[in-house]
Amino acid sequence: MPIFEYVCKQCRQRFEAVVYGAQKPECPSCHSVGLEQQLSVFSVGASKTHARSRPAAAPCGTCGDPRGPGSCAMD
């Protein structure tokens, strides 16, 4: 039972749907079947070994950007 992420082409609603076999998902807002499947966040994540080997970034001391120093235009 894979979970897929979609954006409705008609009303632009973003949602997730559990898809069973050949079942066609529909927008929960407008019930359109014209959907655009999105790349799942889980499918692009780093592996556990790679994630552990990188040191955790601290927030930028100037602006508080969680990506760390040098991530914003203030540095």
Side-chain angles (χ1 to χ4, degrees):
M1 292 181 291
I3 299 174
F4 293 105
E5 297 177 31
Y6 297 94
V7 172
C8 177
K9 291 181 181 179
Q10 186 170 336
C11 71
R12 304 307 296 169
Q13 172 77 24
R14 182 178 286 268
F15 65 95
E16 295 177 347
V18 177
V19 181
Y20 298 97
Q23 180 184 20
K24 298 288 182 183
E26 69 175 37
C27 175
S29 181
C30 70
H31 304 287
S32 171
V33 292
L35 307 173
E36 187 176 305
Q37 189 172 348
Q38 302 295 295
L39 184 62
S40 175
V41 174
F42 294 107
S43 67
V44 295
S47 68
K48 289 182 181 181
T49 55
H50 179 69
R52 278 190 234 135
S53 64
R54 249 186 306 165
C60 177
T62 306
C63 70
D65 189 317
R67 296 174 295 174
S71 298
C72 67
M74 296 181 78
D75 283 331

